[in-house]
Amino acid sequence: MRFDNLLWDLDGTLTDPKPGITRSVQYALQKLGFAYPHEDELEWVIGPPLKASFKVLLQSDDEDLITKAVTFYRERFQEIGMYENMVYPGIPELLDLLKEKGCQHFLATSKPKVFAEKILQHFSLNDSFSEIMGSELSGKFVEKEDLIREVLKRVSPQSRAKTVMIGDRLYDVQGARANSIKVISVGYGYGTFEELETAAPDYFVSSVLDLKQLLQG
């Protein structure tokens, strides 16, 4: 196998979370009395830290206002939004195949860990992972660089060379680079081709099938 330790992003890599995330953003904006864009115009919020996205959407640096938006978002997301989601076809089988061949899977998502755990359990993916790592509701580990650094504490120094981050946005590439590990960008998620081309990952795949072939190489 090409890699022994696989760090996986969640949104846009393992699952397609668009309806739940975009509708929860719309809900938060509506609760605050703001106009909200169509779901298709909100795809860019899938991946970045939530506070940063609301800062742009609200065109404000007001921490109280941004915190209220995040609170309203989570109000809907934890009840409904996290389940308005689907696993990309072929992902469960790929996780199982790689685990059977001796690979270790680690979840490395900026999404709060409490939500990530429930999503993986809902889709029966949790048993595939040696470690489920996400941010804390306080905001700790929301930056991909810090998150990946924390996950790598579970990986032996000797196996760093065979460790890879798999994600769909430039944040995954930047986080991997900051921690001196390889990175695979997937083109079926929410990072644009231009974004990923500029980020210059070590590998780029356009489908789950291509990802499978690469990881078995």
Side-chain angles (χ1 to χ4, degrees), residues 1-40:
M1 302 299 290
R2 191 183 296 268
F3 299 103
D4 293 335
N5 306 300
L6 309 177
L7 278 61
W8 295 85
D9 178 45
L10 179 58
D11 296 337
T13 303
L14 296 175
T15 70
D16 182 351
K18 178 182 173 179
I21 289 178
T22 57
R23 291 171 191 172
S24 296
V25 168
Q26 289 175 331
Y27 173 83
L29 294 174
Q30 184 180 39
K31 291 280 283 187
L32 290 170
F34 283 74
Y36 54 84
H38 186 273
E39 288 178 27
D40 291 342

Side-chain angles (χ1 to χ4, degrees), residues 128-192:
S128 296
F129 288 85
S130 300
E131 183 84 20
I132 297 172
M133 185 68 192
S135 64
E136 297 179 5
L137 293 174
S138 65
K140 188 178 182 181
F141 301 131
V142 75
E143 298 298 335
K144 222 46 184 276
E145 177 180 341
D146 299 333
L147 182 76
I148 292 174
R149 184 180 299 113
E150 187 68 18
V151 175
L152 290 176
K153 291 178 180 178
R154 283 77 170 171
V155 173
S156 68
Q158 295 81 5
S159 64
R160 282 286 188 96
K162 297 201 72 176
T163 299
V164 67
M165 177 71 210
I166 305 168
D168 69 315
R169 299 297 307 269
L170 65 88
Y171 311 99
D172 302 299
V173 179
Q174 293 170 342
R177 291 270 184 267
N179 287 282
S180 303
I181 62 170
K182 299 289 187 181
V183 58
I184 301 170
S185 289
V186 300
Y188 56 81
Y190 287 93
T192 65

